[in-house]
Amino acid sequence: MSTLRRARDRFKAHPLTLDAVISAAVLLCMISSAFAAPDGDHGVDWGARPPDALSLLLMVLAAVALVLRRRSALAVLAFTGVLALVECVTGDPRAPVAMTTVIALYTVASTTDRATTWRVGLLTMTVLTAAAMAAGPLPWYAQENLALVAWTGIGATAGDAVRSHRAYVRAIRERAERAERTREEEARRRVAEERLRIARELHDVVAHHIALVNVQAGVVAHVMDRRPDQAKEALAHVREASRSALDELRATVGLLRQSDDPAAPTEPASGLGRLDELAGTFRSAGLPVQVARTDQDTELPAAVDLAAYRIVQEALTNAQKHAGTGAKAEVSVVRVGPNIEVSVLDDGAGATWATGSGGGHGLLGMRERVSALGGTLTTGPRYGGGFRVHAILPVQARAGAERKPV
């Protein structure tokens, strides 16, 4: 079996060699058929009707032409058709030169379209059969004349069937390759989205608490010697902020580790239910925050609830870092029709924090969260000083957003 496979691979690599072998085999078959008389006294009589020199020449030329059938199928068909036509008219007894025409017709049908096969096949069948019936040495109703119709039809039909099968196999292969490429692209897209989600979540968790720790550490350094009681209070806030950061990091990392567990939670615990607690951490860090809500009776999808919380957290963190001393912030959460609107305002002097070098990835993360849920985000300086962050989130999150956390 391995020998046959090696021979097949060798012939595929050198198709001209295969065509030469086929041509030699066809020539041998034609010469053998030309020397045989099928209606002898004792069955087939070999050598009973030797072909003349012209018939031998026509068979050799037709067989040699088959070597080039893959390179120029139509030209080889025309050449072998002319040789077969000459043999049909002059051969007595007739030699089977038409065999090469059938093979050339098969090649044309297997390498061209169906319309060309029909036209060329009918033309070949009609010309050869009409010439043999009208000008050949045999009666028009002879079996050899009618056989030309059958053999040319078989050659064209077989070639068309092979072409259709090749096209079907090629289409299946292309479809499989396209599906594989689609799967790979989808896998790469999901990996990129997951990396972005992890980076955004870690940024929101770490940036908020580290900013608070930084503020409280500055307070400790400022009042350590003169007001130790206030320094102890600031250190307590540092400890609380660092503990909260560790808890949220632990929850986030736990989610990543349990991503394949269907019983694992799909969102961190943060949400608008902890909004007052969040505002309290900023108040303890020296940023007065007022909270106004009219959405207490609204049940939000987990993705929307988390996104709203993270937007408020990031906006207040930036206000804490950039608004300046003495700034105040206002947070409002309002249900308006099918949407929930979240606004964070500050009256500080750092109105350009979002567009300057200090903006970091905070605004980008907000926009990605809002876009993933099909909402809109508006940010910019306020008239008279300060900065405004306004997000509109649909209460009914899109199906895609509900399946993957933002």
Side-chain angles (χ1 to χ4, degrees):
M1 193 69 180
S2 60
T3 303
L4 293 176
R5 187 180 294 109
R6 285 196 299 270
R8 182 185 61 186
D9 295 339
R10 189 179 299 111
F11 281 134
K12 284 184 177 181
H14 302 87
L16 192 63
T17 303
L18 176 60
D19 289 336
V21 172
I22 293 175
S23 299
V26 170
L27 178 61
L28 180 61
C29 290
M30 288 191 297
I31 293 177
S32 301
S33 299
F35 275 89
D39 299 328
D41 296 336
H42 304 285
V44 178
D45 290 339
W46 296 96
R49 51 169 198 172
D52 54 19
L54 178 60
S55 296
L56 287 174
L57 177 61
L58 294 175
M59 285 187 287
V60 171
L61 292 176
V64 171
L66 288 181
V67 179
L68 304 175
R69 66 189 181 92
R70 296 180 193 265
R71 297 186 178 182
S72 184
L74 286 173
V76 171
L77 175 60
F79 183 73
T80 56
V82 171
L83 297 181
L85 184 62
V86 173
E87 175 61 26
C88 287
V89 175
T90 62
D92 188 16
R94 181 181 302 171
V97 180
M99 182 186 300
T100 60
T101 306
V102 173
I103 296 175
L105 180 59
Y106 163 85
T107 305
V108 171
S110 64
T111 55
T112 59
D113 56 277
R114 181 163 295 172
T116 302
T117 299
W118 275 99
R119 291 194 295 267
V120 174
L122 289 175
L123 179 62
T124 303
M125 179 190 303
T126 302
V127 171
L128 290 183
T129 305
M133 288 182 175
L138 300 175
W140 68 269
Y141 53 84
Q143 182 178 356
E144 288 83 350
N145 296 336
L146 298 179
L148 290 174
V149 178
W151 283 110
T152 51
I154 290 174
T157 303
D160 184 72
V162 169
R163 180 194 56 77
S164 299
H165 177 70
R166 289 174 180 170
Y168 175 72
V169 172
R170 184 166 55 252
I172 291 179
R173 186 180 296 112
E174 291 176 354
R175 191 180 302 116
E177 293 175 353
R178 186 164 55 251
E180 184 66 23
R181 287 195 300 270
T182 302
R183 283 193 296 268
E184 292 176 356
E185 292 172 358
E186 178 66 15
R188 285 194 296 268
R189 184 187 65 80
R190 290 185 178 183
V191 169
E193 289 182 352
E194 185 65 13
R195 290 176 60 186
L196 180 62
R197 185 186 70 84
I198 294 171
R200 187 167 57 233
E201 199 65 38
L202 292 177
H203 170 272
D204 290 345
V205 171
V206 173
H208 162 61
H209 293 289
I210 295 302
L212 295 182
V213 168
N214 181 63
V215 171
Q216 296 294 347
V219 173
V220 171
H222 184 67
V223 301
M224 175 67 74
D225 297 331
R226 292 175 297 174
R227 285 175 286 179
D229 293 339
Q230 188 176 352
K232 290 181 180 179
E233 183 181 353
L235 287 175
H237 290 312
V238 169
R239 185 168 57 251
E240 180 65 24
S242 60
R243 183 166 51 247
S244 298
L246 289 175
D247 291 341
E248 291 205 33
L249 281 175
R250 190 179 298 112
T252 302
V253 174
L255 282 175
L256 299 178
R257 289 177 176 174
Q258 300 174 1
S259 59
D260 294 333
D261 186 0
T266 57
E267 296 290 346
S270 300
L272 291 179
R274 298 177 55 187
L275 185 57
D276 292 334
E277 177 185 346
L278 177 66
T281 61
F282 282 99
R283 294 189 189 103
S284 64
L287 177 67
V289 179
Q290 294 182 355
V291 178
R293 299 184 61 179
T294 62
D295 68 317
Q296 283 78 1
D297 297 331
T298 302
E299 293 185 4
L300 298 178
V304 177
D305 198 22
L306 175 63
Y309 178 86
R310 292 301 186 201
I311 290 170
V312 174
Q313 183 185 56
E314 180 63 26
L316 290 178
T317 299
N318 286 318
Q320 174 74 47
K321 292 191 295 184
H322 303 289
T325 305
K328 295 181 294 184
E330 299 177 5
V331 178
S332 66
V333 182
V334 182
R335 173 68 183 268
V336 180
N339 302 319
I340 194 84
E341 296 190 10
V342 178
S343 299
V344 180
L345 312 176
D346 70 73
D347 58 359
T352 58
W353 62 263
T355 56
S357 59
H361 299 283
L363 271 184
L364 179 61
M366 288 191 219
R367 294 190 186 281
E368 289 170 350
R369 289 181 182 277
V370 173
S371 297
L373 296 172
T376 58
L377 178 71
T378 305
T379 62
R382 298 174 61 194
Y383 178 77
F387 202 82
R388 176 176 180 267
V389 175
H390 180 70
I392 300 176
L393 302 173
V395 173
Q396 297 298 326
R398 295 182 307 182
E402 278 296 292
R403 286 194 297 269
K404 59 181 181 180
V406 297

